Structure formats: C-alpha cells, structure tokens
Amino acid sequence: RLKEVVRYRREKGSTGEESNDAEVHQLDSVFYFAPHRMNKKLPLPESVFPQSLIGSIGLRTLEDRHFNDWFQPLPFDIWTGFISEHSCMKNGHEKDDAMRILVLVTLSK
C-alpha cells in the first residue's frame, strides 16, 4: 500500500549535514478537525492537522471519499480521551474556566 512507503525528505541543516529519508510509520493515525462537529477553540491532540494546514488543503479535499483511506475526521472518543488528560481540565486554574465550560458543553451534545 502506498501510505506504508511514504517518505518525507529532511532539509539540510545549518551545519551542512546530508539530508536523509525519514519513514513515517503511523500515517494512518492522522486526523483532521471537522469544525461542524466541535468548536474551533477546543484543544486538539497532536495527531490532528493544524488549522492553517487544513485551510491550505481545504476541508472539501480532506472529506473527499477518495482520500478516506488517508484522512479521517477526528473521532469523538479519541478527543474525549485527550481532553480528559488536558491541563485545562486537570489543573483547575481560573483562567481555564471558559475552556472547561466549552468542553463540558461539547461533551453534553
């Protein structure tokens, strides 16, 4: 399968070292954030494309059925596992009150 042999190229460093191929082993765990499912202000796990990249690629492309093998929307259960361990939920700081409310509203839907 193609996604099992995808390689990214490292660029030359400031010391002039040679570039090497770097294998990507967990490409099938890359998700995108579907804004119609959750609020854009919520914290997201590292396995989610950054919003700037989603803007460049386009949500329509990511949701295309031809790319379902490569990209999937962030499953709610993965997000709930992530958010339950996030500092905004665990630390109890007053500055995180609005974020906690947003998380609880999302969980209640």
Side-chain angles (χ1 to χ4, degrees), residues 2 9 13 16 30-31 34 36 38 40 44 46 49 51 53 57 69 72 77-78 83 91 101-102 106:
L2 179 62
R9 200 116 208 130
V30 176
F31 301 110
H36 56 275
M38 293 187 285
K40 289 182 180 181
L44 300 170
E46 291 178 7
F49 279 127
Q51 286 297 326
L53 186 58
I57 296 172
D69 218 19
Q72 297 174 357
D77 59 336
I78 290 178
I83 202 65
N91 292 343
I101 291 172
L102 192 56
T106 304

PDB file of all heavy atoms in Angstrom, residues 2 9 13 16 30-31 34 36 38 40 44 46 49 51 53 57 69 72 77-78 83 91 101-102 106:
ATOM      1  N   LEU A   2       0.389   2.241  -0.690  1.00  0.00           N
ATOM      2  CA  LEU A   2       1.185   3.450  -0.888  1.00  0.00           C
ATOM      3  C   LEU A   2       1.541   4.145   0.415  1.00  0.00           C
ATOM      4  O   LEU A   2       2.675   4.538   0.629  1.00  0.00           O
ATOM      5  CB  LEU A   2       0.433   4.407  -1.816  1.00  0.00           C
ATOM      6  CG  LEU A   2       1.137   5.723  -2.104  1.00  0.00           C
ATOM      7  CD1 LEU A   2       2.451   5.462  -2.803  1.00  0.00           C
ATOM      8  CD2 LEU A   2       0.258   6.608  -2.949  1.00  0.00           C
ATOM      9  N   ARG A   9      11.333  14.098   3.151  1.00  0.00           N
ATOM     10  CA  ARG A   9      12.735  14.461   2.978  1.00  0.00           C
ATOM     11  C   ARG A   9      13.122  15.491   4.034  1.00  0.00           C
ATOM     12  O   ARG A   9      12.456  16.505   4.197  1.00  0.00           O
ATOM     13  CB  ARG A   9      12.864  15.061   1.586  1.00  0.00           C
ATOM     14  CG  ARG A   9      14.170  15.081   1.049  1.00  0.00           C
ATOM     15  CD  ARG A   9      14.444  14.292  -0.156  1.00  0.00           C
ATOM     16  NE  ARG A   9      15.777  13.909  -0.167  1.00  0.00           N
ATOM     17  CZ  ARG A   9      16.236  12.672  -0.363  1.00  0.00           C
ATOM     18  NH1 ARG A   9      15.607  11.789  -0.478  1.00  0.00           N
ATOM     19  NH2 ARG A   9      17.389  12.299  -0.437  1.00  0.00           N
ATOM     20  N   GLY A  13      20.605  20.873   7.304  1.00  0.00           N
ATOM     21  CA  GLY A  13      20.685  21.705   8.490  1.00  0.00           C
ATOM     22  C   GLY A  13      21.680  22.830   8.305  1.00  0.00           C
ATOM     23  O   GLY A  13      22.373  22.930   7.291  1.00  0.00           O
ATOM     24  N   GLY A  16      25.256  21.935   7.377  1.00  0.00           N
ATOM     25  CA  GLY A  16      25.533  21.379   6.062  1.00  0.00           C
ATOM     26  C   GLY A  16      25.455  19.867   6.016  1.00  0.00           C
ATOM     27  O   GLY A  16      25.954  19.254   5.081  1.00  0.00           O
ATOM     28  N   VAL A  30      -3.467   9.973  11.200  1.00  0.00           N
ATOM     29  CA  VAL A  30      -3.568  11.420  11.019  1.00  0.00           C
ATOM     30  C   VAL A  30      -5.037  11.793  10.803  1.00  0.00           C
ATOM     31  O   VAL A  30      -5.709  11.247   9.949  1.00  0.00           O
ATOM     32  CB  VAL A  30      -2.715  11.896   9.824  1.00  0.00           C
ATOM     33  CG1 VAL A  30      -2.910  13.368   9.581  1.00  0.00           C
ATOM     34  CG2 VAL A  30      -1.261  11.605  10.094  1.00  0.00           C
ATOM     35  N   PHE A  31      -5.502  12.728  11.604  1.00  0.00           N
ATOM     36  CA  PHE A  31      -6.896  13.150  11.543  1.00  0.00           C
ATOM     37  C   PHE A  31      -6.977  14.622  11.191  1.00  0.00           C
ATOM     38  O   PHE A  31      -6.015  15.359  11.339  1.00  0.00           O
ATOM     39  CB  PHE A  31      -7.580  12.930  12.901  1.00  0.00           C
ATOM     40  CG  PHE A  31      -7.548  11.513  13.362  1.00  0.00           C
ATOM     41  CD1 PHE A  31      -6.765  11.138  14.433  1.00  0.00           C
ATOM     42  CD2 PHE A  31      -8.314  10.546  12.733  1.00  0.00           C
ATOM     43  CE1 PHE A  31      -6.740   9.820  14.863  1.00  0.00           C
ATOM     44  CE2 PHE A  31      -8.295   9.244  13.159  1.00  0.00           C
ATOM     45  CZ  PHE A  31      -7.505   8.875  14.220  1.00  0.00           C
ATOM     46  N   ALA A  34     -13.004  18.529  11.992  1.00  0.00           N
ATOM     47  CA  ALA A  34     -14.207  18.919  11.259  1.00  0.00           C
ATOM     48  C   ALA A  34     -14.959  19.949  12.096  1.00  0.00           C
ATOM     49  O   ALA A  34     -15.557  19.605  13.110  1.00  0.00           O
ATOM     50  CB  ALA A  34     -15.076  17.704  10.990  1.00  0.00           C
ATOM     51  N   HIS A  36     -17.687  21.470  11.911  1.00  0.00           N
ATOM     52  CA  HIS A  36     -19.130  21.338  12.103  1.00  0.00           C
ATOM     53  C   HIS A  36     -19.453  20.352  13.228  1.00  0.00           C
ATOM     54  O   HIS A  36     -20.583  20.257  13.653  1.00  0.00           O
ATOM     55  CB  HIS A  36     -19.824  20.930  10.797  1.00  0.00           C
ATOM     56  CG  HIS A  36     -19.289  19.682  10.182  1.00  0.00           C
ATOM     57  ND1 HIS A  36     -18.189  19.697   9.365  1.00  0.00           N
ATOM     58  CD2 HIS A  36     -19.692  18.401  10.277  1.00  0.00           C
ATOM     59  CE1 HIS A  36     -17.942  18.453   8.966  1.00  0.00           C
ATOM     60  NE2 HIS A  36     -18.823  17.656   9.511  1.00  0.00           N
ATOM     61  N   MET A  38     -17.319  20.139  16.257  1.00  0.00           N
ATOM     62  CA  MET A  38     -16.894  20.720  17.530  1.00  0.00           C
ATOM     63  C   MET A  38     -16.456  22.163  17.314  1.00  0.00           C
ATOM     64  O   MET A  38     -16.174  22.573  16.193  1.00  0.00           O
ATOM     65  CB  MET A  38     -15.726  19.921  18.116  1.00  0.00           C
ATOM     66  CG  MET A  38     -16.080  18.523  18.554  1.00  0.00           C
ATOM     67  SD  MET A  38     -14.729  17.706  19.423  1.00  0.00           S
ATOM     68  CE  MET A  38     -13.631  17.302  18.108  1.00  0.00           C
ATOM     69  N   LYS A  40     -14.099  25.381  17.210  1.00  0.00           N
ATOM     70  CA  LYS A  40     -12.722  25.571  16.758  1.00  0.00           C
ATOM     71  C   LYS A  40     -11.768  25.966  17.884  1.00  0.00           C
ATOM     72  O   LYS A  40     -10.564  25.861  17.740  1.00  0.00           O
ATOM     73  CB  LYS A  40     -12.661  26.641  15.667  1.00  0.00           C
ATOM     74  CG  LYS A  40     -13.253  26.222  14.361  1.00  0.00           C
ATOM     75  CD  LYS A  40     -13.103  27.328  13.336  1.00  0.00           C
ATOM     76  CE  LYS A  40     -13.698  26.927  12.010  1.00  0.00           C
ATOM     77  NZ  LYS A  40     -13.555  27.966  11.005  1.00  0.00           N
ATOM     78  N   LEU A  44      -6.778  20.365  20.716  1.00  0.00           N
ATOM     79  CA  LEU A  44      -6.799  19.168  19.885  1.00  0.00           C
ATOM     80  C   LEU A  44      -5.512  18.369  20.071  1.00  0.00           C
ATOM     81  O   LEU A  44      -4.459  18.935  20.337  1.00  0.00           O
ATOM     82  CB  LEU A  44      -6.945  19.555  18.410  1.00  0.00           C
ATOM     83  CG  LEU A  44      -8.210  20.328  18.043  1.00  0.00           C
ATOM     84  CD1 LEU A  44      -8.109  20.847  16.622  1.00  0.00           C
ATOM     85  CD2 LEU A  44      -9.436  19.446  18.215  1.00  0.00           C
ATOM     86  N   GLU A  46      -2.133  16.051  19.073  1.00  0.00           N
ATOM     87  CA  GLU A  46      -1.083  16.286  18.088  1.00  0.00           C
ATOM     88  C   GLU A  46      -1.333  15.556  16.776  1.00  0.00           C
ATOM     89  O   GLU A  46      -0.766  15.914  15.753  1.00  0.00           O
ATOM     90  CB  GLU A  46       0.273  15.855  18.647  1.00  0.00           C
ATOM     91  CG  GLU A  46       0.766  16.717  19.764  1.00  0.00           C
ATOM     92  CD  GLU A  46       2.088  16.244  20.324  1.00  0.00           C
ATOM     93  OE1 GLU A  46       2.689  15.304  19.754  1.00  0.00           O
ATOM     94  OE2 GLU A  46       2.522  16.811  21.321  1.00  0.00           O
ATOM     95  N   PHE A  49      -4.275  17.567  12.025  1.00  0.00           N
ATOM     96  CA  PHE A  49      -3.658  18.593  11.193  1.00  0.00           C
ATOM     97  C   PHE A  49      -3.877  19.958  11.822  1.00  0.00           C
ATOM     98  O   PHE A  49      -4.969  20.258  12.290  1.00  0.00           O
ATOM     99  CB  PHE A  49      -4.312  18.644   9.809  1.00  0.00           C
ATOM    100  CG  PHE A  49      -3.826  17.612   8.849  1.00  0.00           C
ATOM    101  CD1 PHE A  49      -4.715  16.791   8.202  1.00  0.00           C
ATOM    102  CD2 PHE A  49      -2.487  17.480   8.570  1.00  0.00           C
ATOM    103  CE1 PHE A  49      -4.286  15.856   7.290  1.00  0.00           C
ATOM    104  CE2 PHE A  49      -2.035  16.541   7.668  1.00  0.00           C
ATOM    105  CZ  PHE A  49      -2.943  15.724   7.024  1.00  0.00           C
ATOM    106  N   GLN A  51      -4.880  23.845  11.969  1.00  0.00           N
ATOM    107  CA  GLN A  51      -5.926  24.559  11.240  1.00  0.00           C
ATOM    108  C   GLN A  51      -5.366  25.291  10.022  1.00  0.00           C
ATOM    109  O   GLN A  51      -6.022  25.378   8.990  1.00  0.00           O
ATOM    110  CB  GLN A  51      -6.645  25.547  12.165  1.00  0.00           C
ATOM    111  CG  GLN A  51      -7.574  24.894  13.155  1.00  0.00           C
ATOM    112  CD  GLN A  51      -8.716  24.167  12.468  1.00  0.00           C
ATOM    113  OE1 GLN A  51      -9.207  24.576  11.432  1.00  0.00           O
ATOM    114  NE2 GLN A  51      -9.145  23.071  13.056  1.00  0.00           N
ATOM    115  N   LEU A  53      -2.963  24.342   8.089  1.00  0.00           N
ATOM    116  CA  LEU A  53      -2.777  23.352   7.034  1.00  0.00           C
ATOM    117  C   LEU A  53      -4.108  22.921   6.439  1.00  0.00           C
ATOM    118  O   LEU A  53      -4.230  22.758   5.227  1.00  0.00           O
ATOM    119  CB  LEU A  53      -2.018  22.143   7.582  1.00  0.00           C
ATOM    120  CG  LEU A  53      -1.605  21.077   6.589  1.00  0.00           C
ATOM    121  CD1 LEU A  53      -0.720  21.681   5.504  1.00  0.00           C
ATOM    122  CD2 LEU A  53      -0.875  19.964   7.299  1.00  0.00           C
ATOM    123  N   ILE A  57      -5.112  23.071   2.520  1.00  0.00           N
ATOM    124  CA  ILE A  57      -5.560  21.883   1.782  1.00  0.00           C
ATOM    125  C   ILE A  57      -7.022  22.019   1.396  1.00  0.00           C
ATOM    126  O   ILE A  57      -7.410  21.695   0.279  1.00  0.00           O
ATOM    127  CB  ILE A  57      -5.355  20.612   2.627  1.00  0.00           C
ATOM    128  CG1 ILE A  57      -3.882  20.383   2.903  1.00  0.00           C
ATOM    129  CG2 ILE A  57      -5.969  19.409   1.945  1.00  0.00           C
ATOM    130  CD1 ILE A  57      -3.599  19.284   3.880  1.00  0.00           C
ATOM    131  N   ASP A  69      -9.080   6.688   2.923  1.00  0.00           N
ATOM    132  CA  ASP A  69      -8.039   5.776   3.376  1.00  0.00           C
ATOM    133  C   ASP A  69      -6.894   6.523   4.055  1.00  0.00           C
ATOM    134  O   ASP A  69      -6.185   5.966   4.882  1.00  0.00           O
ATOM    135  CB  ASP A  69      -7.513   5.002   2.169  1.00  0.00           C
ATOM    136  CG  ASP A  69      -7.206   3.567   2.495  1.00  0.00           C
ATOM    137  OD1 ASP A  69      -7.711   3.071   3.512  1.00  0.00           O
ATOM    138  OD2 ASP A  69      -6.463   2.939   1.719  1.00  0.00           O
ATOM    139  N   GLN A  72      -9.121  11.062   8.034  1.00  0.00           N
ATOM    140  CA  GLN A  72     -10.413  10.838   8.664  1.00  0.00           C
ATOM    141  C   GLN A  72     -10.666  11.965   9.649  1.00  0.00           C
ATOM    142  O   GLN A  72      -9.726  12.512  10.232  1.00  0.00           O
ATOM    143  CB  GLN A  72     -10.421   9.514   9.417  1.00  0.00           C
ATOM    144  CG  GLN A  72     -10.221   8.320   8.521  1.00  0.00           C
ATOM    145  CD  GLN A  72     -10.102   7.042   9.337  1.00  0.00           C
ATOM    146  OE1 GLN A  72     -10.121   7.062  10.549  1.00  0.00           O
ATOM    147  NE2 GLN A  72      -9.974   5.935   8.640  1.00  0.00           N
ATOM    148  N   ASP A  77     -14.320   9.846  20.422  1.00  0.00           N
ATOM    149  CA  ASP A  77     -13.751   9.116  21.548  1.00  0.00           C
ATOM    150  C   ASP A  77     -12.259   9.391  21.726  1.00  0.00           C
ATOM    151  O   ASP A  77     -11.763   9.426  22.852  1.00  0.00           O
ATOM    152  CB  ASP A  77     -14.027   7.620  21.442  1.00  0.00           C
ATOM    153  CG  ASP A  77     -13.461   6.988  20.183  1.00  0.00           C
ATOM    154  OD1 ASP A  77     -13.265   7.700  19.191  1.00  0.00           O
ATOM    155  OD2 ASP A  77     -13.217   5.762  20.206  1.00  0.00           O
ATOM    156  N   ILE A  78     -11.534   9.622  20.637  1.00  0.00           N
ATOM    157  CA  ILE A  78     -10.119   9.983  20.755  1.00  0.00           C
ATOM    158  C   ILE A  78      -9.997  11.378  21.364  1.00  0.00           C
ATOM    159  O   ILE A  78      -9.155  11.623  22.229  1.00  0.00           O
ATOM    160  CB  ILE A  78      -9.415   9.906  19.386  1.00  0.00           C
ATOM    161  CG1 ILE A  78      -9.294   8.442  18.968  1.00  0.00           C
ATOM    162  CG2 ILE A  78      -8.053  10.596  19.416  1.00  0.00           C
ATOM    163  CD1 ILE A  78      -8.664   8.233  17.621  1.00  0.00           C
ATOM    164  N   ILE A  83      -8.892  15.149  25.850  1.00  0.00           N
ATOM    165  CA  ILE A  83      -9.318  16.304  26.650  1.00  0.00           C
ATOM    166  C   ILE A  83      -9.418  15.959  28.133  1.00  0.00           C
ATOM    167  O   ILE A  83      -9.214  16.816  28.989  1.00  0.00           O
ATOM    168  CB  ILE A  83     -10.640  16.916  26.100  1.00  0.00           C
ATOM    169  CG1 ILE A  83     -10.788  18.371  26.561  1.00  0.00           C
ATOM    170  CG2 ILE A  83     -11.855  16.110  26.503  1.00  0.00           C
ATOM    171  CD1 ILE A  83      -9.772  19.312  26.025  1.00  0.00           C
ATOM    172  N   ASN A  91      -5.937  21.013  35.886  1.00  0.00           N
ATOM    173  CA  ASN A  91      -5.270  21.950  36.795  1.00  0.00           C
ATOM    174  C   ASN A  91      -6.224  22.792  37.629  1.00  0.00           C
ATOM    175  O   ASN A  91      -5.871  23.203  38.720  1.00  0.00           O
ATOM    176  CB  ASN A  91      -4.321  22.866  36.020  1.00  0.00           C
ATOM    177  CG  ASN A  91      -3.141  22.105  35.467  1.00  0.00           C
ATOM    178  OD1 ASN A  91      -2.851  20.988  35.901  1.00  0.00           O
ATOM    179  ND2 ASN A  91      -2.464  22.682  34.502  1.00  0.00           N
ATOM    180  N   ILE A 101     -15.889  25.087  30.456  1.00  0.00           N
ATOM    181  CA  ILE A 101     -17.318  25.184  30.118  1.00  0.00           C
ATOM    182  C   ILE A 101     -17.538  24.777  28.668  1.00  0.00           C
ATOM    183  O   ILE A 101     -18.468  24.023  28.363  1.00  0.00           O
ATOM    184  CB  ILE A 101     -17.856  26.605  30.408  1.00  0.00           C
ATOM    185  CG1 ILE A 101     -17.881  26.837  31.910  1.00  0.00           C
ATOM    186  CG2 ILE A 101     -19.219  26.800  29.778  1.00  0.00           C
ATOM    187  CD1 ILE A 101     -18.198  28.252  32.320  1.00  0.00           C
ATOM    188  N   LEU A 102     -16.676  25.249  27.779  1.00  0.00           N
ATOM    189  CA  LEU A 102     -16.780  24.883  26.372  1.00  0.00           C
ATOM    190  C   LEU A 102     -16.627  23.365  26.173  1.00  0.00           C
ATOM    191  O   LEU A 102     -17.354  22.744  25.401  1.00  0.00           O
ATOM    192  CB  LEU A 102     -15.718  25.631  25.578  1.00  0.00           C
ATOM    193  CG  LEU A 102     -15.792  25.624  24.069  1.00  0.00           C
ATOM    194  CD1 LEU A 102     -17.150  26.154  23.581  1.00  0.00           C
ATOM    195  CD2 LEU A 102     -14.681  26.449  23.481  1.00  0.00           C
ATOM    196  N   THR A 106     -19.536  20.738  24.892  1.00  0.00           N
ATOM    197  CA  THR A 106     -19.271  19.826  23.775  1.00  0.00           C
ATOM    198  C   THR A 106     -19.548  18.382  24.182  1.00  0.00           C
ATOM    199  O   THR A 106     -20.140  17.610  23.410  1.00  0.00           O
ATOM    200  CB  THR A 106     -17.820  19.965  23.297  1.00  0.00           C
ATOM    201  OG1 THR A 106     -17.566  21.328  22.943  1.00  0.00           O
ATOM    202  CG2 THR A 106     -17.530  19.066  22.129  1.00  0.00           C
TER     203      THR A 106
END
